[in-house]
Amino acid sequence: MNKTALITGASSGLGKEFARIHASKGDNVVLVARSKDKLETLKLELQKQFGVSVYVIVKDLSDQYAPKAVYDELKAQKIQIDYLINNAGFGDFGLFAETDWAKQLEMINLNVTCLTYLTRLFLPGMIHNKFGKILNLASTAAFQPGPTMSVYFATKAFVLSFSEAIANELKGTGVTMTVLCPGATETGFQTAAAL
């Protein structure tokens, strides 16, 4: 039976590539992001090229209720998630005292709260099934403070610390958690962060 991968931030950048990789291996994919048009285009591409099932959920994951809505929708559709890729995230640039608080809060909600909540929602089922893989996207930013990008760097430090702790808790369960810490990558991140 085919495995299913849930990928957040799947409409572009690394998320789009993760979707292509999973589909190329015969995994069904659930694509989650805000951009309906981009997700639908990717869905058609993956179905045509790899013949896998692709389910699209259009959600702004910085909304605190979005992770539960995603989980509930997949449960209602009887779609079991075997791989969770918490890829969605964004950064911002500027002196913290001068930043837009609403944007900083949105970043914390997406980069930290959403990732943590999705992990909490899907992890018990994986443990029950004695199989599952979770990949969290941190950054090389996780290893140092980041003046002019302080909140972004701090959120990625959280992702690294959280992921390493949960990976330890999962020993012997058949479930793994991995954290990826890429350096600067051409993904559209720079544009979103106004760098």
Side-chain angles (χ1 to χ4, degrees):
M1 189 169 124
N2 289 15
K3 303 291 187 192
T4 301
L6 166 59
I7 302 148
T8 67
S11 60
S12 63
L14 291 173
K16 191 175 185 178
E17 294 309 313
F18 288 132
R20 286 180 174 143
I21 290 167
H22 274 277
S24 73
K25 295 178 181 299
D27 296 329
N28 296 324
V29 291
V30 175
L31 309 174
V32 185
R34 293 179 301 179
S35 177
K36 183 177 181 180
D37 291 345
K38 288 181 180 179
L39 291 177
E40 291 294 342
T41 299
L42 181 58
K43 174 182 178 175
L44 293 174
E45 174 195 321
L46 298 178
Q47 286 175 329
K48 183 177 179 184
Q49 189 172 357
F50 303 110
V52 296
S53 172
V54 181
Y55 191 82
V56 166
I57 300 177
V58 180
K59 281 275 183 255
D60 179 352
L61 292 171
S62 67
D63 177 326
Q64 64 177 328
Y65 302 105
K68 183 70 161 61
V70 168
Y71 176 80
D72 289 344
E73 182 172 339
L74 293 174
K75 195 169 182 181
Q77 294 293 325
K78 295 182 170 39
I79 298 174
Q80 176 182 302
I81 299 303
D82 304 290
Y83 307 111
L84 171 61
I85 301 175
N86 284 309
N87 169 71
F90 75 93
D92 193 22
F93 181 79
L95 297 174
F96 179 72
E98 299 170 3
T99 57
D100 173 10
W101 172 246
K103 190 169 184 183
Q104 302 306 304
L105 183 58
E106 188 179 346
M107 190 192 323
I108 293 166
N109 285 341
L110 182 59
N111 295 6
V112 173
T113 307
C114 174
L115 175 145
T116 307
Y117 195 12
L118 284 173
T119 299
R120 178 61 185 84
L121 289 165
F122 288 101
L123 187 56
M126 291 179 175
I127 293 170
H128 178 265
N129 294 331
K130 297 181 172 51
F131 179 85
K133 295 180 185 300
I134 300 173
L135 175 65
N136 290 331
L137 266 287
S139 165
T140 53
F143 298 97
Q144 66 259 318
T148 68
M149 291 187 75
S150 58
V151 173
Y152 174 76
F153 276 55
T155 64
K156 294 306 180 178
F158 172 89
V159 172
L160 177 61
S161 178
F162 172 73
S163 300
E164 289 179 339
I166 304 305
N168 183 276
E169 291 180 14
L170 291 173
K171 286 180 180 171
T173 65
V175 181
T176 61
M177 177 172 283
T178 306
V179 60
L180 179 63
C181 298
T185 308
E186 283 190 40
T187 62
F189 173 89
Q190 289 82 358
T191 304
L195 293 177

